[in-house]
Every structure is written in C-alpha cells, then in structure tokens.
Amino acid sequence: MTENGTTGAAAITVTNTSPVGCDITATLGAVIGTGTLTLTSTQTTTVEGGSELNNAATLGVSCTQPKDGKESTAEATVTVSSVACQLEGATSIPVICTN
Amino acid sequence: MTEEAAPLIKHPFFFVLKRSRKEPPLDWLIEILTARTPSVLIAAAMSILSFSSAGWCQTISATVSATAPRGFCGHNYAMLMTGAEPNLTPALGSAAGFPGALTAVVGVGVIQFSRGCKSISGELIYNDGDIQFTGNGGTAGLTGGPAACYSSVSLVGGLPCFDGGNHFTNGSVTSGGAPPGMALLQFTANFNFFDFGLGPTSTGSMPFAFTIHETAGDFTLVGNTVPSPTAPVLTLTLQEQDPEVNPVPTTFGRPPYLGNSAIICNGYGANNDDVVASILNSMSGGVAGYGTAVGSVQIFSSGQAGGLLSFNTNDNLQVSPAPPFPNNTACDFTEMLDPYDPPAAFADGTSNISNSISSPSTDPTCTNAATMGAGFTTNQVAWGPDDSNSFAIVSGLTATVFQFVPPGEMSTCTHFANTPAGSVSIAPFLLS
C-alpha cells in the first residue's frame, strides 16, 4: 500500500456444486488501524450452480493509507453469508493491508 | 347456494368494487380484504349447509367396509385433486345459455388406509374457486384446510394449512356401485378453516366420492369423482408414501427435506369476483388466466433452502396494469417452514412452507421482486421412495403491504427428487 490510495486486490472463490444458483453477500467489518479498507465489489453476487466454468465470485477490497508517509496498517474482517445456501469453508476472512 | 342467496353476496361486493375504483390499487385491496359484512356471513353459512347436504350422509365415526383385499390397504398416500366446477351462469353473449367459464378446483392432502381398509384417515387442503363470490355457478368460492396459519399476520382470517391430524370421517372402500375392476372410495373431509369469499373463518365439511383404479404395485392409484349434480368434476392421483419411513421426519435439513428437487406447477386464475385475481394479476394467475412454472429448490443440511422458478403466466401478458408487461422468467426464492405456526411439518408427511422472492427488486427477469416482501405460501405432502417427492398446493400470497391473502388462483405443484444436496464452498482468500 503506498501513500494516498494504492489499491490492493482481494479475491474469493466460491464453488457451487448444487444445481441451483446461490446469492452470497459480502460485508466488511470494522477497520482497525490508521489506513482504510473499502469493499469495492458488488456486495451481493449470484454464484451459478452446477457449472465448473461459472462458479467464481470475486470480491474487491481497496486499501488507502494517510498522507503523512508513516507506516500504517488497516485490518478488517470480510464476512460472506447467504440466506438460501449453506456455505462451507471459512466465511470470515481477515484482510490486512500494510505499507 | 340458492338463487335467493345470490343477491346477498352480490350487493356488498359490487358496492365495494365501484367505490374502490377511485382509490389506489393497494388501498382497494386492503379495504376489500378487511371487509366483513353480514351478507358475507349469511353466504358462508348457506354454503356450509349446501355442502353438508351435498349427497352423502355424515357420521362422527369413520367406518369402512372392504369386500376384497386390495393392495393399497395398509398404506399411506399423498393425494392430488385437480378439476373444475361447471359454471351454471350462462356466458355473456350466449343467447343459448351455454355454460360460463369453468372454475378450477385443486386439492392436496394425505390419506391413510388401515390394514384391510378397516378405517381411513387423512387431511386435505382444498381450493374451489379461491375466494370469488358469485362466479362459481351459484356457489361462493372457498378455500379450506385442517387448520389456519398466518392468522396473526394475515389481512383475512389466515390461510389453510396442515396440522398432522386426522380430519376424515365416513371413510369407506367398497366395490358396490363401482365399475368392474374398480372401487368406490368415499370420505368426508372436515375443515377447521374455511374462507368463503372473505367471510369469517369457520368450520365445515365436504363429502367426496371417487371411482379409483389400482396400478402395478399400487404405488399409484388414479380416480375421478362420481357424477353428482352437487360435486365438482375432479381427477384424483394418489402416490404412495414410503412404507418404511413412518412417521416421516419433520425437520428441514433432514430427509426428506434435504437435497434438490425439480418443480413443475400450474395454476388457474379465479374469476373476476376474486379480489386477488382481479388486482394482483401479475402475482397470481390473473382473472381466468392460466399460469405455469418450472424450476427447482434445494434444501441444505443447515435447513437453509432456496431455488429458482421460471413463471409463464398468460405469456406474461396481463390486462392491468398497463405495459410494460411483467417478466418473471427467473425468480430466486428462499423457503422455510412456516415460522408463525410451529410446528410446520408433521409425521404424516405434510408441511406448511413460507416462500420469499429473493431476486433483487430491479431484476428485469423477476418483476414480482419489485413488490417489497413478495412471497407465497405452499403446503406439501411427501411421497415416493424415501418420501423425496411431494405434491404442493399454493395457499396464499404475501407482501409487505398485503400480508398473507388467498392466492387468487387454484395452483398445484409437483416436486420430483433431483440430486442430493450440493455444496457451496469458499476457497482461501487471495491478495495481490
């Protein structure tokens, strides 16, 4: 993360082996540190079902540090949830940006 | 209903109809749905009398006479009724007095034949014309079931639902009077919830008589109603429940409420007398319309459940509102057991299910999602190997502004087991 607005990219892959598509929602928890973290992707994504080629959802996160040039960190937890679908694997993922 | 009773029904409804046309559509709906008039009470009472004297005597106990062993005795079946009620009101413009449009009738339930068919038990949800008032050939539309659900959150007295109990009396299986090789199945379905054209919740009963025919292995029985001037014309399909799994488990996330099922539905819109059919054209089958749906639903082991339905209701055309026409060809939905009236699943394989449309409100392929809180209620009966198939009847619609009203159409679905529950897995997070 560089001064004033370098963006870090984050991605999460969701594999849906069920025949029915699933809507998943990503939420960003409280940010700890002097930098900022922002969820930039669409908050709710439909993961199509039953297709190996079309079952990935991408989540984007941007990081920004203060202009003072000092070392900074920004840490938060991204939570993935679904109303209709049971998610397997880590649904709470820590995101840490440092410069 | 007699001819003398007809004006009692027509007048109050006609008055509301005329007055409300100056009001916004939803206000009109709410006003009508909350109306309770003495005339409607009278109509409901007369309808009860009509059904009670419809041709078969009623007694309190269920006694059965079986003249020969039958393969279905000692087994339980899910039950699907579909048919129509001849309309004795002549069609407009018909000088010859041809019958008016048919009114669809549907029913879904469960029936248990004891060993030797010594007794019959079961329960039934039945929709004959929904809640229309006068268009059903002199009989008010009605919807009924063993119990009432959603009463605390409904604009009317609630919606019919199953309760897992026995609500059949006068059950019998006989050969006398039946055509060769067939049998006469009779029972009286007793309802703890009746809604006659938005009248008050009441109780009632309805006798049924079917000529039935067995099939190989008696996994399926088929039949039709015995001709009668006072009974609807129905077909009956009975599908055997799993004889090894009795009682049926009652929890979402446990079989049979687990895995993916394909769904096929059809529904016949009620007449214009039905307030839901006349107002919520896009959400119901529409006045005298016909709709279908195909899709699937998946229930995960966590109990979370959802799926997708593709509707074709009058080719997505409708009279009102004006174009753009609705498009509901890809509507996501979630479902759960009725959360207002637990328990909502029972050992006889019946369940009461609440479905919510979950597509984004701006989804161009799900117009109904634009209605906040849109959803529908179903009542299902499991059948087949492992009880993994089911019949379903649509018992109501809901939205934030008109909670839990009758459906405006006579609609049933069949769920066929498709695949075991899949999984939705999340890979490790990647940073670049």
Side-chain angles (χ1 to χ4, degrees), chain B residues 55-328:
Chain B
W56 294 278
C57 296
Q58 300 175 44
T59 59
I60 295 176
S61 62
T63 58
V64 174
S65 61
T67 57
R70 299 183 185 280
F72 55 84
C73 294
H75 296 272
N76 304 332
Y77 289 83
M79 184 163 48
L80 173 66
M81 299 177 185
T82 60
E85 190 95 72
N87 193 327
L88 302 180
T89 303
L92 292 177
S94 172
F98 292 119
L102 291 173
T103 295
V105 181
V106 295
V108 166
V110 62
I111 186 168
Q112 298 107 11
F113 299 97
S114 69
R115 290 187 177 181
C117 285
K118 298 295 183 185
S119 64
I120 289 175
S121 55
E123 55 179 330
L124 172 70
I125 291 178
Y126 189 72
N127 185 337
D128 181 342
D130 203 53
I131 52 170
Q132 62 196 32
F133 278 57
T134 60
N136 191 17
T139 302
L142 64 90
T143 179
C149 287
Y150 307 100
S151 300
S152 62
V153 288
S154 175
L155 274 180
V156 292
L159 301 176
C161 63
F162 292 116
D163 67 2
N166 172 35
H167 296 270
F168 288 175
T169 54
N170 295 342
S172 68
V173 178
T174 60
S175 298
M182 296 183 240
L184 178 64
L185 166 64
Q186 296 182 84
F187 60 89
T188 295
N190 298 284
F191 301 112
N192 285 326
F193 172 82
F194 253 144
D195 196 343
F196 293 91
L198 301 179
T201 297
S202 58
T203 61
S205 62
M206 188 173 299
F208 290 94
F210 291 97
T211 301
I212 61 172
H213 202 297
E214 299 174 82
T215 66
D218 281 306
F219 300 116
T220 303
L221 306 177
V222 293
N224 70 343
T225 42
V226 176
S228 166
T230 56
V233 182
L234 302 174
T235 63
L236 175 70
T237 303
L238 301 181
Q239 295 283 6
E240 187 183 1
Q241 295 183 311
D242 186 348
E244 307 299 328
V245 181
N246 193 0
V248 179
T250 58
T251 305
F252 257 34
R254 302 280 182 84
Y257 304 106
L258 179 66
N260 180 266
S261 300
I263 307 171
I264 183 70
C265 307
N266 64 7
Y268 298 84
N271 292 352
N272 192 48
D273 300 318
D274 186 296
V275 291
V276 178
S278 63
I279 298 173
L280 300 176
N281 261 317
S282 66
M283 290 193 68
S284 69
V287 174
Y290 178 66
T292 59
V294 65
S296 62
V297 63
Q298 176 155 259
I299 305 176
F300 292 88
S301 60
S302 64
Q304 291 172 283
L308 181 141
L309 281 170
S310 179
F311 295 89
N312 182 350
T313 303
N314 293 344
D315 292 331
N316 287 329
L317 302 178
Q318 63 181 37
V319 177
S320 175
F325 299 121
N327 180 344
N328 291 295

